Amino acid sequence: MKIEGIIFDLDGTILNSFDFRIRAWNAAFRKFGITPKEDELKPLIGLPGSTLAAKYSSDPYAVEMEEERIFSEHLPEISLFPDVPGTFEELRRRKIDTVIVTSSRRKLVNMITLPTNLVVTIDDVKHGKPDTEPYVKAMQLLGITEPGVIMVVGDALTDMIPARKLGNLAVLIKHGRKFDTDIPNYEIDEVSEILSLLDLP
């Protein structure tokens, strides 16, 4: 498989933070007297914070800032998935460039030790996921504009939809969660499984 660059989502993809995000959003909403149903909230993780908050609150920015404050307090408890460092090391050995696209704010991202220095945050674009703009910017950072030679790895449809729109390879990483979708080209359970995909003809 000819892949020249890989775009990774952050939360729930390479960072083991999905459950912490759910807790932070629930706590932030409770502060504003809002109690969203968890089965409704989970599929929204991955959207820009203000977009997610606006589905429940008339003051989405305030809710988003509260969620990021709560989430940041838990950063010492949050780590990369165990196979991430080794996978990125192997990608560097294979000379495959990587970039992260996240709906988080730059200030929060700067507090996390990441396996690549190339990151597109919600602060870097006008339109966040599932718009294609963050991914177009990521492709520009990679210096690759040719469709079909970029793999997008994420744990939400907000990653898969723009990947397919741009003609890139969409890889859904599940980490034990259940999905009912036919949008991705491939589904995997661990980050390191992308290495096997790269070896496919």
Side-chain angles (χ1 to χ4, degrees):
M1 183 179 295
K2 182 187 177 186
I3 295 294
E4 298 178 6
I6 302 180
I7 301 172
F8 288 91
D9 170 54
L10 180 59
D11 284 303
T13 296
I14 63 172
L15 191 68
N16 191 0
S17 56
F18 183 81
D19 289 340
F20 287 95
R21 279 291 187 189
I22 293 291
R23 291 178 214 163
W25 275 114
N26 277 324
F29 279 125
R30 281 197 301 271
K31 182 174 180 178
F32 290 85
I34 303 167
T35 309
K37 295 180 180 178
E38 189 161 308
D39 60 342
E40 294 177 353
L41 183 59
K42 282 184 176 181
L44 302 178
I45 301 299
L47 289 172
S50 58
T51 303
L52 190 159
K55 294 184 179 294
Y56 299 97
S57 172
S58 59
D59 191 357
Y61 182 75
V63 178
E64 178 193 7
M65 291 300 98
E66 179 65 9
E67 188 277 337
E68 290 227 339
R69 183 192 68 78
I70 296 169
F71 182 78
S72 65
E73 291 179 350
H74 290 282
L75 283 179
E77 307 168 56
I78 300 171
S79 61
L80 299 172
F81 283 100
D83 60 343
V84 168
T87 301
F88 273 74
E89 183 177 343
E90 175 62 17
L91 292 175
R92 285 190 289 271
R93 189 189 69 80
R94 298 190 188 196
K95 301 189 185 311
I96 297 176
D97 293 326
T98 58
V99 60
I100 293 169
V101 170
T102 176
S103 294
S104 293
R105 299 280 179 181
R106 174 69 62 177
K107 180 180 178 181
L108 179 64
V109 170
N110 287 343
M111 299 168 66
I112 305 169
T113 301
L114 298 173
T116 178
N117 292 325
L118 294 179
V119 183
V120 178
T121 74
I122 189 61
D123 294 320
D124 301 316
V125 294
K126 291 182 179 179
H127 306 287
K129 300 177 182 182
D131 195 271
T132 58
E133 183 186 353
Y135 295 90
V136 171
K137 189 170 184 67
M139 292 169 69
Q140 291 170 345
L141 288 175
L142 291 171
I144 303 171
T145 56
E146 179 186 352
V149 296
I150 289 181
M151 177 186 291
V152 175
V153 183
D155 70 323
L157 295 184
T158 49
D159 306 304
M160 301 296 98
I161 292 171
R164 294 300 300 268
K165 282 184 178 179
L166 292 170
N168 293 322
L169 193 72
V171 179
L172 178 68
I173 186 162
K174 298 182 290 185
H175 288 303
R177 289 155 52 204
K178 293 182 179 180
F179 293 84
D180 183 16
T181 176
D182 59 359
I183 295 176
N185 299 102
Y186 295 96
E187 295 184 11
I188 60 176
D189 286 302
E190 306 290 342
V191 175
S192 57
E193 291 178 46
I194 64 172
L195 299 176
S196 297
L197 294 181
L198 293 173
D199 292 333
L200 293 175

